[in-house]
Amino acid sequence: MHAAELANRVQAARFVYTEDVRYKETLPDGGLRGTNWVTYEVTFLEGEPYNRRIAIRGEPLTQEQAEEEESRYRKVEQYRQQTPVDERRRRYFAAEENRFKIDTTLVLRYHQSRFLGEQPMQGREAWVVETWPRRGAPRARRRAECSLDMKIRYWIDKQTHMPIHMEGEWLRDFDGAPKGATVISDRIPVDGVWLQQRIVSRGRRKAGKILLAYENDQRYSNFKKFQADAKLLLDDREPR
């Protein structure tokens, strides 16, 4: 699975797509406390991914919002054009380390596992494997290491060895993710590459004396392979 992920990661990073992010908080009585819904067009700008806002709550941007978004785009474009590639690469990789992600290298190094059997997923035959931190494993220090504090269940496609469905649970509080919070992730095949289709995070957090339930739902669609002569700044480094 790890080898398949490494090979897939480089190819997957060369796709552009639409990202739809929906967030909501629910009160104990079931009422909504707040919601947010933003849609982005994710493309490349000067060799790096760029999220351009294109809709709010399913509606196109107003003229004022579109002008603000265009201004932001031009500022980022100017910064990237004027900043040396090495500095941009350093900042890009630092941002990657501040992003929540399941790092299979850390799972292999610090988790124990058990085979749970076979179960079809998305119409494909899959193995199911569960992992959790071994006794004495280090604690997560940054978001990219969050798998050190999680129990994870993988559905691994038998044909490609890719984890096509994943369910994780935080075993302790970490950087805003409370103990018991969950994340579900799904991939789909597009042009021979497995791409992220959906990530859903759920949990409960306190707001004063109120315990709120939250859900962050990220959906990905409209995949297109990016083709250009420019060199892309992608996180294709060998894991530590």
Side-chain angles (χ1 to χ4, degrees), residues 119-182:
Q119 183 179 20
M121 178 59 63
Q122 302 180 30
R124 300 177 69 95
E125 295 185 354
W127 296 297
V128 185
V129 175
E130 185 175 69
T131 77
W132 63 98
R134 295 197 304 267
R135 184 184 298 274
R139 295 283 302 272
R141 294 173 297 170
R142 50 184 179 267
R143 291 179 178 180
E145 298 176 339
C146 65
S147 50
L148 291 173
D149 289 338
M150 299 179 71
K151 177 173 67 176
I152 307 167
R153 187 169 292 186
Y154 297 95
W155 278 253
I156 305 170
D157 179 56
K158 285 187 177 183
Q159 182 178 356
T160 64
H161 295 174
M162 278 293 297
I164 61 176
H165 179 80
M166 185 274 293
E167 298 178 1
E169 179 183 351
W170 269 266
L171 300 176
R172 52 180 72 93
D173 294 347
F174 175 69
D175 195 17
K179 179 180 178 181
T182 62

Side-chain angles (χ1 to χ4, degrees), residues 40-51:
Y40 300 91
E41 180 182 66
V42 183
T43 58
F44 285 95
L45 174 60
E46 296 297 323
E48 293 181 57
Y50 180 80
N51 290 47

